[in-house]
Amino acid sequence: MKKDAIFLKSDKRAGDFEFNAEVAEVFNDMLERSIPFYLEQQAMIRGLCRNLWIPGTKVYDMGCSTATTLIGLSRELPASARFVGYDNSLPMLERARGNIEKNHFQERIDLRHGELNGQLSDLPLENASVVTMCWTLQFIRPLRRDDVIRWIYDALVDEGVLIVTEKILTNSGHMNRFFIDLYYEFKRQQGYADAEIVRKREALENVLVPYRLEENVELFRRNGFELVETFFQWFNFAGFLCVKKPAMAAPSRGQS
């Protein structure tokens, strides 16, 4: 796994961040060193899917990047399970295909190019009991997020689940700054220099738009998910489990 040193370059300007070939090459290292408890969160997602996947349905990963989540789930779920990964980055998809082939999951994982900020009707999403979005929702334009969540809700079978991991804001500007300082200390402990941290923050400033925890919960609930639980939180990072409950059956004739 190649080490992430992209933002050590002094000529890296704010606004340059994109999921290009340079990022794809070091993305796994970037995730493990930039997301607190990344491996633990991946294990939690596998545990949730193992218990909540419904046989005969599909698992979708929105923003599948290098296919780490899909490969982990393929190892966890029965051989009959089928997986679909969407990503808008062709370099990410190219690296994902290589990782899938290396792990011999070509017959189980279908990778597709798709833009969640684009026309959702062009992206097939059907017969899903599990949809994962790992640090993806924050990159979707805020005005589009309701459409995306409702689209996912409508595609889920009854008792299907949406699993979201996300960066979040606090309700207090002072506390938000405090949590961010703690996060930057975490990144220093992972070997990132202060210059790297500052350059990446500037590059992401207009690209990554987080919501407060309550705003995310309300987003999920107003688009159909009655049951929304936080299964993980570390300062300004959180994981959400959203469940589509079965529609209430109409009363039988003669019942009041």
Side-chain angles (χ1 to χ4, degrees), residues 2-65:
K2 186 173 180 180
K3 187 175 180 179
D4 170 28
I6 290 175
F7 289 94
L8 271 177
K9 302 173 184 177
S10 60
D11 61 346
K12 182 61 68 173
R13 303 184 308 277
D16 280 349
F17 189 88
E18 58 181 303
F19 295 98
N20 54 24
E22 183 183 29
V23 169
E25 187 178 21
V26 300
F27 197 61
N28 286 358
D29 180 70
M30 182 183 288
L31 288 176
E32 291 190 22
R33 294 169 60 215
S34 298
I35 297 177
F37 295 97
Y38 172 74
L39 296 178
E40 289 81 358
Q41 289 187 68
Q42 285 286 310
M44 294 173 83
I45 291 169
R46 292 194 299 272
L48 289 170
C49 291
R50 184 176 62 248
N51 286 279
L52 297 170
W53 171 74
I54 298 172
T57 65
K58 296 178 181 178
V59 176
Y60 286 80
D61 186 19
M62 300 299 175
C64 64
S65 63

Side-chain angles (χ1 to χ4, degrees), residues 165-178:
T165 52
E166 192 79 340
K167 203 170 185 179
I168 60 171
L169 301 172
T170 71
N171 293 318
S172 159
H174 173 74
M175 191 61 66
N176 197 61
R177 182 69 257 171
F178 177 53

